[in-house]
Each structure stands twice: as C-alpha cells, then as structure tokens.
Amino acid sequence: MFGNAFHGGGSAQASQAGADVRYNLDISLEEAYRGKTAKIKFTTLVSCTSCKGSGGEAGSRPTNCTACYGRGKTRYQQGFFTIERTCATCGGAGQTISKPCRPCNGSGRARKEKNLEVKIPAGVDEGTRIRVTHEGEAGLRGAPSGDLYVFLNVKPHNLFKRQGADILCKVPIQMVVAAIGGEIEVPTIDGSQANVKIPVGTQAGQQFRLKGKGMSVLRTTGRGDMIIEAKVETPVSLSKKQRELLEEFAQLGKGEKNSPESQGFFAKVKVFFDDIGK
Ligand SMILES: [Zn+2]
Ligand SMILES: [Zn+2]
C-alpha cells in the first residue's frame, strides 16, 4: 500500500509522484493523554537542492520527449487492439532534460535524512494514524511529494490500563481497611492524586468510578473516567501477636452476619452433598 503502486495508474503526472512513507512512533500513555510535539527523523528522497527538483542543470530547460511527443505514453497496434504503455524514454513525464543535473542524475531528488516535528493531539490511541501531507518521498523531477503517515503505538503502562476513554487502576487495599472502611490516595494520569473513599465491607474486585479522571478524548475537551478496582490484600508475614489477634477475631465472628458470601456458598455445598446422598 505504501509503495509507488499507491499512486499507480492515472495521469503521467501521478506516476511520477513520490511514494507515501510510513513511520512507527512509540508513545507513553501519559503522552497519549497530554498530546505532544514529536521530533522524528527518517531517511527518504527529498528534492535535490542543486536543481531545486527540476532534474536539469541550471539554465537547461526540459524539452518534450521525442519518443512519445510529450504524451508520456506510447501506443502501438497489436491485432485489433491499440496498446498504450508508459513511455520508457521519459518514464511517463512527457519531457526529457537536455542537461541532467549531475548530483541527482536528473531525477530531481536525493536521499537525505529528514527532521520533522509532528503534532500528536491529546487523546490518541493505539493504531491512530497521523497524516502529514507532502512530507513523504519527493516526486520525480518536481512531481508532487507523497504523504507521511505516523502510526502510533501506545506502550503499556505500569499502573494504568486504558479502556477506551476510561482508565482502569487496580489498587491493593489492606484487608482491615476493606473491612472497616477508610480513604486511600491514588495517582491519576494527569500527574496528580485523587482521594477515594473505601466504604465499610469493600470486597475484592469492587470498583469505584472517579468521574472525569480518565483519558482525554480526541478532538474534544472531555475526559473519560478512572475506575479503581479494589485488590484486597491478605496480610502476610504475621507476628505472633498479630496471628493471635486474628485467631481471636475468628473465634468471635462465625456466622452469616460477617461472611454472607461464605455462608451462602457453604449452604449450596450442603445442598450438593445432600442431593448426592439421596
Ligand atoms: Zn538535481
Ligand atoms: Zn516520452
């Protein structure tokens, strides 16, 4: 798709046009959120500085191609058909150069490193394609340049997972905080922090939505939400005292009131075995 074939067919002029160029750019999730000006460099065919892209030496003028009389195509008869082909002498341009420019061999272009600044708007996503017109390969002998396409790859983030305009963040919450409630601080994609109230009796996997704290939305001023998912953490490496306290706690709390889910589960287990026993 990004070869010369992209411009295939059409007029003599089009067949001389430069090819489009694809450039792959990795950005972070923060950069996708904020947008940025990316400095990119790549090597491509640019307009020859000696002849300013004309392909002819200073003072020389292009003349009509004698093989195709300036049409860029040659015709010949084969049986009943007239076959038309791109002229081999002028390459379809319809003109030839009497004194070709030496540095570019008359092509009007040269291979060179190109440095560009490309604006990446806020809210771009994986696979977003940014088109920069006329920054692809230069065309032959001053024909139009191709376009540059910047393909974006958003790198995975350590803390955040993008879900469209929303951002999911799984936050570990201490078992005791989950049980008796509390408040936690979470980082946000804009580089600040937000407070989240953890209600009494929070369960693992429970989600809390922070309105307007998600990704920016392309071409709008809006923002998605941030979703906090509770990852209730079981304490490890207990001291003797802690262990004793938890054992004491376990002795105190046995029943439906403290663990309705467990009770419900074990009730189903009982029914299961009762049914087998029948
Ligand atoms: Zn030149
Ligand atoms: Zn010709």
Side-chain angles (χ1 to χ4, degrees):
M1 171 183 177
F2 288 92
N4 276 308
F6 197 70
H7 293 286
S11 65
Q13 183 75 347
S15 70
Q16 304 290 303
D20 291 329
V21 170
R22 176 182 176 142
Y23 186 95
N24 297 321
L25 182 67
D26 287 344
I27 60 169
S28 66
L29 190 66
E30 294 94 312
E31 289 171 332
Y33 164 75
R34 278 196 305 267
K36 73 178 281 194
T37 302
K39 288 190 166 75
I40 66 169
K41 63 178 179 190
F42 57 99
T43 301
T44 189
L45 292 166
V46 299
S47 185
C48 169
T49 46
S50 300
C51 62
K52 296 187 176 64
S54 73
E57 244 177 32
S60 77
R61 286 187 166 274
T63 50
N64 272 1
C65 172
T66 50
C68 64
Y69 309 103
R71 290 190 305 113
K73 287 189 168 99
T74 47
R75 257 184 217 170
Y76 60 95
Q77 202 76 24
Q78 188 174 344
F80 295 110
F81 304 102
T82 303
I83 311 278
E84 213 175 49
R85 280 219 176 119
T86 299
C87 172
T89 307
C90 62
Q95 295 186 317
T96 50
I97 290 151
S98 51
K99 272 193 229 158
C101 165
R102 257 168 295 168
C104 67
N105 269 326
S107 71
R109 53 190 193 175
R111 196 158 279 281
K112 219 186 131 195
E113 188 179 85
K114 211 169 184 174
N115 286 279
L116 287 179
E117 287 192 347
V118 178
K119 261 212 122 35
I120 311 292
V124 291
D125 203 347
E126 178 71 28
T128 299
R129 204 176 76 160
I130 292 163
R131 181 182 178 201
V132 189
T133 49
H134 306 313
E135 291 293 357
E137 262 185 16
L140 265 176
R141 288 182 288 278
S145 298
D147 296 332
L148 167 71
Y149 287 90
V150 179
F151 281 70
L152 296 179
N153 168 47
V154 182
K155 290 178 282 185
H157 197 278
N158 282 338
L159 297 170
F160 306 122
K161 193 170 189 289
R162 184 186 195 145
Q163 294 181 334
D166 296 336
I167 292 175
L168 175 73
C169 182
K170 292 185 178 180
V171 183
I173 291 165
Q174 289 176 29
M175 184 193 74
V176 175
V177 174
I180 66 175
E183 201 171 80
I184 58 164
E185 245 181 11
V186 294
T188 51
I189 189 73
D190 54 16
S192 59
Q193 290 194 314
N195 289 319
V196 184
K197 258 196 135 52
I198 301 300
V200 171
T202 291
Q203 301 295 331
Q206 205 167 322
Q207 294 187 337
F208 308 99
R209 190 171 279 266
L210 304 180
K211 280 262 167 237
K213 296 280 184 194
M215 287 300 286
S216 31
V217 181
L218 199 58
R219 284 182 285 273
T220 72
T221 52
R223 270 179 82 176
D225 300 336
M226 184 170 176
I227 298 157
I228 304 296
E229 187 175 307
K231 244 169 69 180
V232 177
E233 187 174 23
T234 307
V236 295
S237 309
L238 298 176
S239 69
K240 189 163 170 285
K241 174 79 176 159
Q242 285 174 315
R243 194 189 161 86
E244 282 167 10
L245 283 170
L246 282 179
E247 277 166 358
E248 197 184 328
F249 169 81
Q251 291 303 317
L252 289 170
K254 277 186 176 159
E256 180 141 10
K257 205 164 164 297
N258 287 147
S259 323
E261 198 136 335
S262 299
Q263 294 304 315
F265 177 76
F266 290 118
K268 283 177 201 155
V269 171
K270 188 175 178 304
V271 171
F272 171 70
F273 283 117
D274 284 353
D275 284 353
I276 285 175
K278 272 174 199 165

